[in-house]
Amino acid sequence: MSKLNLDLSGVTEQSTSGYSMIPAGKYGMKVVKTEVKPTKTGGHMLVCDLEVQDFGDHVSKKIPYQMNIVNNSPEAQKIGLSQLKTLAIACQVKNPNAIGDSDELITGVEFEAEIILETVGDKQYSKVKWINKKEGAKAPSGESKPQGKLPWEK
């Protein structure tokens, strides 16, 4: 046995999620990964990894952005689809009214996001409060067209 005598009170525990804690504030971000996951209530959510583009030590850090796209609660689904359309507009998806694949959000276009800190139990997380199109960001070329079955359809 080795004595350590270490004071870890000022040390943040290591993240096991692959996501980072970033301070509250406004950031330039872009979508770098998307995935549809089941919810605990039998619905589906779209999880987008957002990566910081323009803030010193926080460049390249990632946080998740979750949107209910199929939910038993019509209100939760309405909010989630509204968030998705806002993100599609901010990412300058060619047709934000017809997204055929979640990867269409990975356009490389930077947008603005306000990040807040949320506490759940004894842990604090970075959470997206709002997203907005960034002035001067360059739009991608190509057309978005829904095709085939959706991931949650059998």
Side-chain angles (χ1 to χ4, degrees):
M1 183 184 317
S2 300
K3 287 192 177 197
L4 296 177
N5 292 331
L6 297 173
D7 178 9
L8 300 177
S9 59
V11 177
T12 305
E13 63 185 274
Q14 186 177 26
S15 170
T16 57
S17 68
Y19 297 115
S20 300
M21 173 72 120
I22 59 174
K26 294 179 186 175
Y27 295 87
M29 305 192 93
K30 69 178 178 181
V31 176
V32 293
K33 180 182 172 188
T34 65
E35 182 179 6
V36 174
K37 293 183 176 183
T39 64
K40 294 176 185 175
T41 60
H44 288 84
M45 66 178 160
L46 176 61
V47 181
C48 295
D49 287 359
L50 306 183
E51 184 180 82
V52 176
Q53 299 298 301
D54 68 352
F55 204 87
D57 293 343
H58 303 293
V59 169
S60 297
K61 290 187 177 179
K62 296 176 186 70
I63 64 167
Y65 185 44
Q66 302 173 342
M67 297 155 276
N68 281 298
I69 53 176
V70 176
N71 195 285
N72 293 331
S73 163
E75 186 63 21
Q77 184 169 314
K78 180 181 174 183
I79 291 167
L81 293 175
S82 177
Q83 291 170 320
L84 175 56
K85 185 167 184 178
T86 300
L87 179 60
I89 291 167
C91 291
Q92 299 183 33
V93 169
K94 196 69 166 173
N95 183 356
N97 292 317
I99 299 173
D101 189 292
S102 63
D103 283 350
E104 291 177 40
L105 297 166
I106 305 174
T107 61
V109 173
E110 192 175 320
F111 54 86
E112 295 177 320
E114 182 173 358
I115 306 304
I116 59 172
L117 299 180
E118 184 173 271
T119 303
V120 178
D122 63 345
K123 299 209 182 236
Q124 204 169 37
Y125 300 92
S126 299
K127 181 179 175 182
V128 176
K129 182 176 180 182
W130 57 257
I131 286 176
N132 196 16
K133 185 175 176 180
K134 187 170 186 174
E135 293 301 318
K138 190 173 181 177
S141 59
E143 187 73 28
S144 302
K145 295 180 183 176
Q147 298 175 357
K149 286 190 173 189
L150 301 174
W152 55 87
E153 293 179 330
K154 294 181 180 180

